[in-house]
Amino acid sequence: MPSTDSTSSTLSSLKGLHIELQAGSTSMDKYPAKQHARRTAEKLQVRSGLIYLPGQPSIYLDDSDQFQPFRQRRYFFYISGVNEPDCSVTYDIARDTLTLYIPYVNPRKAVWFGTGLSLQAAQQKYDIDNVKFSECLSSDMDSWIHHNSHSGKVYLLHPHQPTTATSPGFQGTTNAIFDTASLLPAMNSARTLKSPHEIRLIRHANQITAQAHTSVLRNLHTFTNERDIEACFLQTCVAAGVRTQSYKTIAGSGENAAVLHYMKNDEPLRGRQLVCLDAGCDWECYASDVTRTFPVNGYLGREAERVYALVKGMQEECIRRIRPGVRYGDLDRLARRIMVDGLMKMGILKGGKGGVEEVVGSGVGRIFFPHGLGHHLGLEVHDVSEKPIMAQTHGNGKHLPPSMKEEALLEAGMVLTVEPGIYFSRVALDYMVTEELEKYIDMDEARRYLPVGGVRIEDDILVTQDGYEILTTAPKGEAALEIIREGASRCS
């Protein structure tokens, strides 16, 4: 792990020593950083200017000599492909030149932490035009600003960057040269549609995630605590070469399965019906996001089976309608209507004179399905986009009517999740059911399902030219139950 500590005396005394690390691969299949930089410039709609993005620096934990876990800044990665700390990148739009700045590791530090990446190795590894040491950034920025301030701006992601950047040229230059408003929306727009290379990375992340989910199912009979599930998932990922997760593992059993972002993962499994496992790993900074719900003993009880079947139907009906031109918010509304209809048939919800439509319109469904149907997926698990794929909601939980301005249409190249869920939350039933909503709920029947907790099923979906492709391969439904039972039978 590289260190930010610098010892100038060591540099001067050991100046003659040259350290170099050769790149491990010379594959032509590099991360398409240059393509992404050009795409960002297109979204900026300018022909000149300089894009500047700092990467994530090495940061010590408070009051400690240990580092915080490193996680690369995703906007920086998008136009560099570099997953190393303490780097920066610039893109000269007019000259179509992408320059990477990497830290120089002095020899004394190299003894402790390794040599880091050399200029030659970085040039071979990344899709960039130039590689320089970070010490060159200051003079390069000064030079660019001096020669180009009349014809272009310096594009920064955030307003605070001019005062914290390493270049003194940033400090002494009028703010008129800096544009801190245009780059973020341009990059959000550029990142909305995934390139074939990005799709391959997401697909590979899903493959490893599927291995980890399968390992959990196969070994479930040996687990006694939620932490065992998390440990098994992480161990499988690490063994497959992945040490980072897209988000913290959610392994909620029983009523914990109704807590959307339950992360304690420390309660016993004994006496619990279901486990909701929401877990996905990164692969080269690209996320996967997969949720599976399964019974602890390999067999669904009557109530759990009815809820699972309903959620399964919600997901399948929504996925099969995915194609370019579809409004994702319409799929969300479809899922809620299917849920309400199903919960009414189960006797949990009650209709008024207006039947299903009245119950849907009341917003009562958000007591049992409080989150959206899904989100974009990419460099972030909740990835950025030019426009939201979901409509905003009123404070009372009722959906706004569809709006061309609020909801983007699906396009080929988008990767998104479809993750319907139904939850029986004690907190929601005790504190979120208003008098207006209570008339639509059979509270006694709803509370009977509290031991079920919650059911969520989530897959990652690529929108294609003529429909969709399911990128997630983790087993679910009957296939998952068979793996659980086979694992248990081997020990019987």
Side-chain angles (χ1 to χ4, degrees):
M1 180 185 307
S3 168
T4 57
D5 185 30
S6 178
T7 309
S8 58
S9 61
T10 304
L11 274 172
S12 58
S13 63
L14 298 173
K15 223 174 215 180
L17 182 59
H18 176 69
I19 297 176
E20 181 176 288
L21 176 68
Q22 293 296 327
S25 171
T26 58
S27 170
M28 296 302 293
D29 189 26
K30 297 180 179 179
Y31 182 85
K34 192 71 175 285
Q35 173 189 328
H36 292 172
R38 290 169 177 161
R39 182 170 176 80
T40 299
E42 290 175 5
K43 296 297 182 178
L44 281 170
Q45 298 183 331
V46 296
R47 296 184 177 180
S48 63
L50 188 75
I51 296 172
Y52 166 74
L53 286 169
Q56 177 66 25
S58 300
I59 301 175
Y60 284 102
L61 294 166
D62 290 345
D63 306 317
S64 175
D65 65 352
Q66 299 299 303
F67 288 109
Q68 293 181 7
F70 171 73
R71 185 182 189 274
Q72 187 59 277
R73 291 172 174 168
R74 277 6 190 195
Y75 289 98
F76 167 82
F77 187 88
Y78 183 72
I79 67 167
S80 72
V82 178
N83 194 25
E84 301 284 345
D86 307 311
C87 299
S88 300
V89 67
T90 62
Y91 178 61
D92 188 321
I93 297 172
R95 295 175 176 83
D96 188 31
T97 302
L98 191 63
T99 303
L100 173 67
Y101 296 88
I102 64 175
Y104 174 80
V105 179
N106 71 64
R108 182 164 293 176
K109 283 192 168 184
V111 172
W112 288 88
F113 302 108
T115 58
L117 202 64
S118 71
L119 298 178
Q120 180 183 355
Q123 188 79 60
Q124 293 174 353
K125 184 175 182 179
Y126 303 116
D127 181 27
I128 49 178
D129 298 300
N130 302 310
V131 187
K132 300 182 179 183
F133 286 124
S134 299
E135 287 79 0
C136 299
L137 177 61
S138 174
S139 59
D140 285 359
M141 289 298 306
D142 287 341
S143 176
W144 192 95
I145 291 172
H146 177 74
H147 292 97
N148 299 278
S149 59
H150 62 285
S151 60
K153 294 180 177 292
V154 177
Y155 293 94
L156 305 165
L157 204 60
H158 303 295
H160 67 267
Q161 283 182 352
T163 59
T164 59
T166 57
S167 171
F170 281 32
Q171 309 290 335
T173 308
T174 172
N175 285 335
I177 189 68
F178 300 110
D179 184 328
T180 61
S182 302
L183 184 57
L184 184 64
M187 295 196 75
N188 287 348
S189 178
R191 286 172 56 180
T192 301
L193 302 184
K194 274 55 181 182
S195 67
H197 189 100
E198 292 178 286
I199 293 168
R200 287 198 297 273
L201 297 180
I202 297 172
R203 191 191 309 278
H204 193 73
N206 264 279
Q207 290 170 351
I208 296 175
T209 291
Q211 294 175 27
H213 274 275
T214 302
S215 182
V216 168
L217 297 173
R218 185 174 295 117
N219 294 282
L220 184 61
H221 65 283
T222 68
F223 301 155
T224 60
N225 193 286
E226 294 166 343
R227 70 172 70 93
D228 298 326
I229 297 172
E230 180 179 16
C232 179
F233 189 94
L234 297 178
Q235 188 276 335
T236 305
C237 290
V238 172
V242 177
R243 298 179 66 182
T244 56
Q245 298 293 304
S246 304
Y247 50 96
K248 196 174 186 309
T249 300
I250 299 169
S253 63
E255 291 193 28
N256 295 332
V259 180
L260 302 183
H261 285 177
Y262 174 79
M263 297 179 187
K264 290 176 61 180
N265 302 340
D266 63 356
E267 294 191 10
L269 299 176
R270 186 179 180 85
R272 307 289 173 87
Q273 290 191 32
L274 299 179
V275 171
C276 181
L277 176 59
D278 189 340
C281 72
D282 279 346
W283 180 257
E284 295 185 12
C285 292
Y286 278 80
S288 61
D289 189 1
V290 178
T291 306
R292 295 292 183 257
T293 306
F294 45 85
V296 174
N297 65 1
Y299 296 90
L300 291 166
R302 181 174 179 274
E303 289 80 9
E305 185 174 24
R306 297 180 73 183
V307 176
Y308 191 94
L310 181 52
V311 175
K312 177 175 178 286
M314 293 162 64
Q315 192 199 40
E316 290 176 348
E317 285 299 311
C318 290
I319 288 177
R320 73 182 186 86
R321 287 172 167 80
I322 290 177
R323 60 182 53 84
V326 169
R327 198 181 302 279
Y328 192 82
D330 289 342
L331 301 182
D332 180 90
R333 288 179 277 276
L334 171 65
R336 294 179 191 282
R337 194 188 189 288
I338 294 172
M339 178 194 69
V340 167
D341 183 61
L343 293 182
M344 289 178 69
K345 291 177 180 176
M346 292 165 60
I348 295 170
L349 292 180
K350 303 178 291 185
K353 295 180 179 179
V356 173
E357 297 305 324
E358 178 185 338
V359 179
V360 171
S362 72
V364 70
R366 296 195 75 84
I367 297 295
F368 302 95
F369 182 13
H371 58 79
L373 180 64
H375 49 80
H376 284 283
L377 183 76
L379 282 167
E380 296 285 356
V381 66
H382 299 148
D383 208 21
V384 299
S385 60
E386 182 178 11
K387 293 181 179 180
I389 56 173
M390 296 285 296
Q392 298 174 351
T393 55
H394 291 298
N396 62 8
K398 296 180 181 179
H399 278 266
L400 295 170
S403 167
M404 291 296 291
K405 293 182 179 180
E406 291 170 349
E407 292 181 352
L409 301 179
L410 297 185
E411 299 179 57
M414 288 181 174
V415 178
L416 43 86
T417 67
V418 178
E419 51 179 308
I422 296 177
Y423 311 89
F424 298 91
S425 166
R426 192 178 298 273
V427 172
L429 292 176
D430 287 348
Y431 299 105
M432 297 177 63
V433 178
T434 64
E435 290 186 12
E436 179 185 358
L437 296 180
E438 190 171 5
K439 64 183 179 181
Y440 297 108
I441 305 175
D442 185 324
M443 296 297 290
D444 291 336
E445 187 67 11
R447 291 184 188 282
R448 198 166 66 82
Y449 281 78
L450 285 173
V452 172
V455 173
R456 180 166 66 253
I457 309 172
E458 177 180 22
D459 291 296
D460 303 338
I461 311 296
L462 168 66
V463 183
T464 63
Q465 291 290 347
D466 57 356
Y468 65 89
E469 177 188 349
I470 301 176
L471 301 178
T472 301
T473 57
K476 58 182 176 180
E478 189 58 37
L481 297 182
E482 289 179 4
I483 295 173
I484 296 172
R485 294 166 190 165
E486 288 175 3
S489 67
R490 291 174 184 172
C491 294
S492 60

